[in-house]
Amino acid sequence: MKTFTKNDNGFICENCGKTVMPLKYSSRDHCPYCLCSLHVDINPGDRQNDCLGILEPFDLEYSQNKGYVLVYKCTKCKQIHKNKVADDDSKNMIQKVANKTYERIKICKK
């Protein structure tokens, strides 16, 4: 069972180098500019994982409960993680991830 620890701190993105401010309505778990995250949690918000690989978004899903969810793969350990899209996430970057998802689906149907 996953437990949630509220952790809404700002940070410097390890992928793009931009300063990321706290989300204020939930816990910040990825960069709103490049959508990447850092593999730092075992359970959401606990910051107990020592992997520290970059989580890159490769898929976009829709959940009835959560809305749009980014699907990530860690560049270091290859684990898959999911994070809810935040209100301030770059719409252009979300579209790029959605386009990758669409292309993969199109290829699989051939």
Side-chain angles (χ1 to χ4, degrees):
M1 179 173 82
K2 289 186 179 182
T3 59
F4 177 80
T5 303
K6 182 147 175 60
N7 197 328
D8 189 28
N9 298 316
F11 58 91
I12 305 294
C13 179
E14 293 286 327
N15 184 64
C16 71
K18 292 189 177 174
T19 300
V20 177
M21 302 305 291
L23 195 54
K24 301 210 173 150
Y25 65 87
S26 184
S27 292
R28 175 68 77 185
D29 55 17
H30 62 272
C31 175
Y33 305 105
C34 70
L35 305 181
C36 288
S37 189
L38 199 58
H39 195 183
V40 294
D41 294 342
I42 294 172
N43 292 303
D46 69 9
R47 306 302 190 253
Q48 297 295 309
N49 199 323
D50 59 1
C51 174
L52 306 180
I54 292 181
L55 295 167
E56 292 182 342
F58 73 93
D59 200 359
L60 186 67
E61 297 178 347
Y62 183 77
S63 163
Q64 290 277 69
N65 298 333
K66 296 182 178 184
Y68 287 100
V69 176
L70 292 164
V71 183
Y72 291 90
K73 187 173 193 176
C74 179
T75 58
K76 189 173 177 184
C77 74
K78 309 304 182 209
Q79 250 187 343
I80 303 295
H81 289 270
K82 295 180 181 182
N83 287 328
K84 185 176 183 254
V85 168
D87 292 345
D88 64 348
D89 284 348
S90 165
K91 303 306 181 235
N92 288 337
M93 292 302 293
I94 292 169
Q95 185 63 49
K96 285 183 182 183
V97 175
N99 288 345
K100 285 185 206 175
T101 301
Y102 174 75
E103 286 302 315
R104 241 188 336 279
I105 291 168
K106 196 165 85 173
I107 290 168
C108 289
K109 288 185 176 183
K110 286 184 179 181

